[in-house]
C-alpha cells in the first residue's frame, strides 16, 4: 500500500512541528510527500498531474496546520480543482472510491478546549465534518483524525510517541486494533534491523520482538481459553 | 446598522443565483457588496483595507457557493489574512467583537439530502461548524445560515419569497420573530412607497400596511387577553 501526503503549509521551513514530521518519513519508500506550496508557488494547481498522483496511492492524507478551523487556502483550491473534471468520474464512482482518507492536523490550542463549554466549543471531529463528508461523498474510508495539539509543549518522550502514532497513521492497518498495532510494530522493528549494521542494536531488537511475540501469543491463548466460558 | 457582504464566487457573471441576489441589493444604502474575486484578481488580500471595511459595518455576511462543504479558496485566504495582525486585536477583543455574523450559501443539492441517512449525511449546520466556531471565538452573534438549495429549480413564487428572506437576512432584526418580521415588512413597504411616483401603487401599499397593522394590533390584544388565564 502506498500513502500520499498532501501537505499544505505556507511557511514550512519555519514550522518546527512540520519539520519534525517530514524528517521522519524521508526514507520511507511507501510514503510520498507532496507539499503544495512548494510545487505550486503561483497557486495554479495542475488537475491532471494531481489526479494521476491520487490514482497511484491507496491512502490519501491531508496534512496541515489548523487555520480558522480548516486548512490553508491552497489546499482548498487544490480540492476545488482536483475533485472535478470529467476524468475524475468513472462508471465505478470517482477515482478516489475505495481509497482511505485521513487528516494530520497541527493545532495550536489544547485538546481540552475543543468541547462543549471549552474555549473553542466544538470537537475536532465536529470542526472537520467537511472532510468526513468528502470521504462519504467519494466512498472513501475515513480514518480518525490525527490531531497534534501544541507540539512545542510536548516532552521528548511525548514527541517519540507521536512519531510512532504518525508512522502508524501513514502505514499501519486501520482500524488500529491491538493486534494490528502489534503486527505493525514487529514489522517495523524487523525493517530497522535489516537496515542496521550494529550487532548490539540488532540483538536488542531481537529481544524486544521476542518479548512482544510471546505476549501476543499469551494473549491469543487467553482469548481462546475465555471462549469456553 | 450597516451590512457588509463578503462575496466569494470565481465565476460571478455566469451564476444565475448570485446575479439574482446581487441585483436585489443594488440600491440599498445600508448594504455594501464586496466581491473578493473582482477586488483581488491576483489573490493578494490587503489586510488593512479589509479590516477598515469590517470596522464600519455591524453585520458581516459571507456569501458563497458551497464547494466541497465550504467556501471557495479565496474566501479562506481572506480569513487567514484578515483575521490576523496586531491591529485585529484590541484590549476589548478582536475588531469583530459584538458584531453579527451570517452565511448565505448556495447549494446545488436538495436540503433533504443533508441529514443522517441522506446522500450528504450531515446537516448544513454541522458542515458549517468552522464558521460558527469563528463567531464564538470572535464573540460575534451567529445568525442561522441562509441556505439556498437548488436555486434553478425554484418557482417564480419561491424566488420572490427568497428575495424577502434574503433582504430580511441582510437588514432585519435577528432573531426573526413574528413581530420583528412584521415591523420590518411595514418599514420596507413604506420605503418603497416613499420612492414610488405611482398613486395607484401607493394606494395598494397603504391598504396592505393598514391590513398588516390591524392584524398586528389584533394579535397584541389576543395576547393581552390570554394573559388573564
Amino acid at each position: 500500500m502506498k500513502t500520499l501526503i498532501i501537505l499544505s503549509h505556507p511557511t514550512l521551513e519555519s514550522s518546527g512541528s512540520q519539520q519534525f514530521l517530514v524528517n521522519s518519513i524521508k526514507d520511507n519508500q511507501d510514503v510520498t510527500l507532496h507539499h503544495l506550496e512548494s510545487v505550486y508557488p503561483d497557486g495554479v494547481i495542475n488537475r491532471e498531474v494531481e489526479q494521476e498522483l491520487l490514482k497511484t496511492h491507496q491512502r490519501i492524507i491531508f496534512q496541515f496546520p489548523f487555520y480558522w478551523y480548516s486548512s490553508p487556502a491552497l489546499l482548498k483550491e487544490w480540492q476545488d480543482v482536483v475533485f472535478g473534471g470529467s476524468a475524475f468520474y468513472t462508471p465505478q464512482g470517482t477515482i478516489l472510491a475505495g481509497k482511505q482518507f485521513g487528516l494530520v492536523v497541527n493545532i495550536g490550542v489544547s485538546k481540552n478546549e475543543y468541547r462543549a463549554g471549552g474555549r473553542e466549543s466544538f470537537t475536532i471531529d465536529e470542526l472537520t465534518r467537511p472532510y468526513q463528508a468528502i470521504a462519504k461523498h467519494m466512498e472513501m474510508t475515513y480514518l480518525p483524525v490525527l490531531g497534534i495539539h501544541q507540539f512545542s509543549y510536548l516532552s521528548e518522550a511525548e514527541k517519540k510517541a507521536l512519531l510512532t502514532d504518525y508512522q502508524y497513521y501513514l502505514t499501519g492497518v486501520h482500524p488500529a486494533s491491538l493486534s494490528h498495532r502489534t503486527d505493525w510494530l514487529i514489522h517495523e522493528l524487523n525493517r530497522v534491523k535489516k537496515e542496521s549494521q550494529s550487532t548490539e542494536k540488532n540483538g536488542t531488537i531481537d529481544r524486544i520482538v521476542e518479548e512482544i511475540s510471546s505476549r501476543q501469543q499469551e494473549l491469543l491463548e487467553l482469548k481462546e481459553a475465555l471462549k469456553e466460558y
Side-chain angles (χ1 to χ4, degrees), chain A:
Chain A
M1 189 203 66
K2 281 185 76 74
T3 297
L4 173 65
I5 303 176
I6 305 286
L7 169 59
S8 181
H9 198 301
T11 55
L12 186 61
E13 289 302 315
S14 61
S15 163
S17 57
Q18 292 295 345
Q19 291 300 325
F20 180 79
L21 298 175
V22 163
N23 281 328
S24 78
I25 48 168
K26 267 187 177 155
D27 303 322
N28 197 324
Q29 302 298 314
D30 295 329
V31 178
T32 307
L33 180 68
H34 191 59
H35 177 232
L36 296 182
E37 283 80 0
S38 299
V39 181
Y40 300 110
D42 59 356
V44 183
I45 310 283
N46 185 318
R47 175 184 282 163
E48 272 178 59
V49 166
E50 298 299 311
Q51 290 185 346
E52 285 308 312
L53 207 52
L54 290 174
K55 283 183 198 168
T56 55
H57 293 79
Q58 292 74 52
R59 182 174 297 172
I60 315 297
I61 305 294
F62 282 3
Q63 182 171 318
F64 57 83
F66 218 31
Y67 286 177
W68 298 113
Y69 316 107
S70 187
S71 78
L74 189 58
L75 179 51
K76 186 64 199 353
E77 177 68 14
W78 183 94
Q79 291 171 224
D80 293 347
V81 172
V82 179
F83 296 166
S86 56
F88 189 65
Y89 297 92
T90 77
Q92 289 78 41
T94 75
I95 59 171
L96 291 172
K99 296 186 192 288
Q100 300 178 337
F101 180 44
L103 307 181
V104 176
V105 188
N106 279 278
I107 302 163
V109 173
S110 152
K111 190 176 180 181
N112 211 27
E113 302 292 353
Y114 288 92
R115 53 175 176 159
R119 191 145 54 92
E120 304 292 356
S121 290
F122 304 105
T123 65
I124 300 299
D125 281 352
E126 285 176 283
L127 294 167
T128 52
R129 283 277 189 269
Y131 301 98
Q132 192 182 353
I134 286 170
K136 167 71 168 48
H137 187 93
M138 306 286 194
E139 298 175 62
M140 291 191 281
T141 301
Y142 192 60
L143 310 182
V145 175
L146 179 60
I148 303 171
H149 292 263
Q150 300 188 304
F151 173 82
S152 56
Y153 296 164
L154 296 184
S155 69
E156 284 309 309
E158 285 169 330
K159 281 184 186 169
K160 275 185 189 157
L162 167 62
L163 270 196
T164 312
D165 289 347
Y166 180 60
Q167 296 295 328
Y168 190 92
Y169 197 79
L170 299 177
T171 63
V173 175
H174 289 273
S177 63
L178 181 61
S179 85
H180 283 157
R181 281 185 290 137
T182 313
D183 290 344
W184 178 84
L185 195 59
I186 292 173
H187 177 266
E188 287 298 300
L189 286 168
N190 283 326
R191 194 170 61 86
V192 171
K193 191 182 143 190
K194 219 155 62 185
E195 284 162 14
S196 160
Q197 308 289 330
S198 151
T199 331
E200 198 193 328
K201 190 175 169 184
N202 287 349
T204 312
I205 291 177
D206 279 340
R207 278 193 302 280
I208 295 173
V209 169
E210 208 175 297
E211 176 72 22
I212 295 173
S213 300
S214 103
R215 293 204 186 182
Q216 200 175 23
Q217 189 54 39
E218 219 173 291
L219 208 63
L220 276 174
E221 284 163 14
L222 271 167
K223 272 188 185 168
E224 277 304 312
L226 278 167
K227 270 188 187 163
E228 291 173 22
Y229 295 93

